Amino acid sequence: MEKTRVIFAVTLLCLLLPELNVVTNAQDGAATEPITPALFIFGDSLIDNGNNNYLFTAAKANYFPYGIDTGGPSGRFSNGLTVVDYGARYLGLPYIPPFFSITSFGKNILRGINYASAAAGILDETGRHYGQRTSLNGQISQFQETLSLKLPPLFQNQNELSQYLAKSVFLIDIGGNDYLNNYLQPQRYDSSRIYDGESYADLLMNTLTSQITRLYNLGARKMVLVGSGPLGCIPSFLSKSRDNGCVESVNNLIIPFNSRLIQMTNTLNQSLPGSYFVYQNIYDLFSDMTHNPSKYGFSEATKACCGNGRAGGEVTCLPLQQPCPDRNKYVFWDSFHPTQAVNAIIARRGYSQYATDCIPISIYQLAQL
């Protein structure tokens, strides 16, 4: 009975915590005031900040010890903040509320909305075994709803709204689940029997191109396309590795996805008038972190801080499980996701004035255009 009360209390708390402005500290290289009107976020569990709390799904992070370093669980799949939490601050923006949050209305949405949903993918079928999730198509439909119903009352006319959208930044960080929770699960999905790695990457790019074009037609002009990290190096795959090293067969699937995403960035910059696309390279940085953790201040890159079984990757972080005490020394928080410390580094190298991991310009520079 006592455990039931605790879990019930945690569930209530997690519905409140996403509303808090948990990102409060100044960051080196951050703007002191907004350099873009808003940040609209589309993606998966790497940047979901509470949307899945409101869905019937197994893909949730609404329980302790998630959020242990920011006051409690908020729905973020981390011990603390995500890359976009830090990223918003670098752009001079406040915390961006999740779409399903009770605070996502009125003037609160003028700085942007986070539509990201854990287990979501580019393909609608991706992640279906978890239950409800909002695919990228669904997230764009939610943005369309925002554009039709919530934003117009906040502007004097359509032209003013269009200028606001054109100056805002749209970030799309999705695709990992199309491998983790689709292609690499042949017992649940047919994709790996239908496509080889190259043709599957083509399928994802063709689908994503249509989705991004849809966003463009809704008014988005400045967009960030985030590449996938080396999925073969996460604890979930390390737990299956014979030599405790990265599973290169998995990483080799990601390489054509990322190379096509870079090509898409260049193509769309030329084919969509008035648009500007930036590619954020996650793969190289994260790969270096896993192979040279001490270079970034980490001591553990082959085991989850909160997980179970070999490498902490066989079963991910469970409710009320005791995580490692030295979380800032770990690259991985759970079986799939990085720690807050890693997210801070990724954000600094993509969003700050000193960013180095984006092409052709940084997200900070994109926001200033």
Side-chain angles (χ1 to χ4, degrees):
M1 178 65 72
E2 184 60 31
K3 185 175 181 179
T4 300
R5 290 196 186 99
V6 170
I7 294 175
F8 179 70
V10 167
T11 302
L12 287 177
L13 182 60
C14 80
L15 293 176
L16 297 176
L17 282 172
E19 324 309 335
L20 302 180
N21 188 348
V22 295
V23 191
T24 56
N25 296 328
Q27 297 167 184
D28 183 38
T32 56
E33 58 184 29
I35 58 174
T36 184
L39 176 63
F40 292 97
I41 300 162
F42 305 81
D44 53 30
S45 58
L46 290 172
I47 53 177
D48 182 349
N49 65 344
N51 281 312
N52 273 32
N53 289 348
Y54 302 86
L55 301 179
F56 291 102
T57 177
K60 289 187 178 184
N62 62 342
Y63 54 84
F64 287 106
Y66 285 93
I68 189 172
D69 293 313
T70 48
S74 63
R76 292 168 171 82
F77 287 74
S78 174
N79 58 306
L81 306 179
T82 68
V83 172
V84 293
D85 288 324
Y86 287 110
R89 298 302 291 182
Y90 279 119
L91 303 184
L93 298 171
Y95 156 83
I96 307 299
F99 174 75
F100 286 120
S101 166
I102 59 175
T103 63
S104 289
F105 68 92
K107 293 184 178 180
N108 292 334
I109 67 172
L110 282 175
R111 292 304 183 189
I113 294 179
N114 186 329
Y115 301 92
S117 175
I122 295 169
L123 303 179
D124 289 340
E125 68 176 25
T126 292
R128 68 187 175 201
H129 60 284
Y130 281 105
Q132 287 185 323
R133 72 274 173 229
T134 310
S135 68
L136 182 55
N137 277 326
Q139 293 175 38
I140 296 172
S141 292
Q142 290 174 342
F143 170 69
Q144 188 169 10
E145 177 185 326
T146 301
L147 186 58
S148 299
L149 302 177
K150 295 183 178 181
L151 284 173
L154 304 176
F155 294 87
Q156 294 183 2
N157 52 59
Q158 182 59 45
N159 182 62
E160 188 177 70
L161 174 56
S162 296
Q163 290 298 313
Y164 160 84
L165 293 175
K167 293 179 180 179
S168 297
V169 173
F170 291 73
L171 180 130
I172 301 98
D173 184 358
I174 202 164
N177 282 322
D178 292 291
Y179 291 94
L180 284 172
N181 292 305
N182 190 326
Y183 195 81
L184 293 168
Q185 296 205 30
Q187 71 278 19
R188 291 189 171 106
Y189 302 90
D190 295 330
S191 53
S192 62
R193 290 186 287 273
I194 300 173
Y195 305 96
D196 62 19
E198 295 287 333
S199 58
Y200 188 64
D202 287 335
L203 170 68
L204 294 178
M205 287 303 108
N206 290 336
T207 306
L208 184 58
T209 297
S210 296
Q211 293 162 333
I212 289 173
T213 302
R214 183 181 169 198
L215 269 177
Y216 173 85
N217 290 334
L218 290 172
R221 292 296 180 268
K222 298 193 289 188
M223 292 185 242
V224 180
L225 306 182
V226 183
S228 178
L231 297 180
C233 298
I234 65 176
S236 178
F237 285 110
L238 293 178
S239 68
K240 306 167 188 175
S241 172
R242 293 182 179 180
D243 59 0
N244 295 322
C246 297
V247 180
E248 293 307 325
S249 61
V250 173
N251 286 342
N252 288 338
L253 288 172
I254 302 303
I255 291 172
F257 174 85
N258 284 339
S259 65
R260 283 162 172 76
L261 198 58
I262 295 173
Q263 293 170 8
M264 178 193 293
T265 302
N266 296 329
T267 300
L268 293 178
N269 270 329
Q270 298 174 13
S271 63
L272 296 179
S275 68
Y276 208 113
F277 288 83
V278 166
Y279 172 77
Q280 185 180 10
N281 178 8
I282 299 294
Y283 191 99
D284 291 342
L285 171 60
F286 213 99
S287 181
D288 197 36
M289 284 184 182
T290 59
H291 289 91
N292 303 290
S294 61
K295 178 179 174 181
Y296 301 90
F298 302 114
S299 58
E300 181 54 76
T302 60
K303 185 169 63 176
C305 174
C306 188
N308 300 273
R310 188 180 180 195
E314 294 180 18
V315 178
T316 198
C317 192
L318 297 171
L320 305 181
Q321 182 175 340
Q322 186 65 36
C324 65
D326 49 347
R327 294 176 286 280
N328 287 335
K329 295 297 182 179
Y330 276 66
V331 171
F332 294 100
W333 161 247
D334 63 12
S335 301
F336 304 96
H337 305 95
T339 57
Q340 171 179 256
V342 169
N343 288 335
I345 294 172
I346 293 173
R348 184 171 68 249
R349 292 182 50 157
Y351 290 82
S352 78
Q353 297 180 44
Y354 318 116
T356 57
D357 292 349
C358 294
I359 54 175
I361 59 176
S362 71
I363 301 171
Y364 190 97
Q365 291 170 313
L366 176 69
Q368 290 180 307
L369 293 178

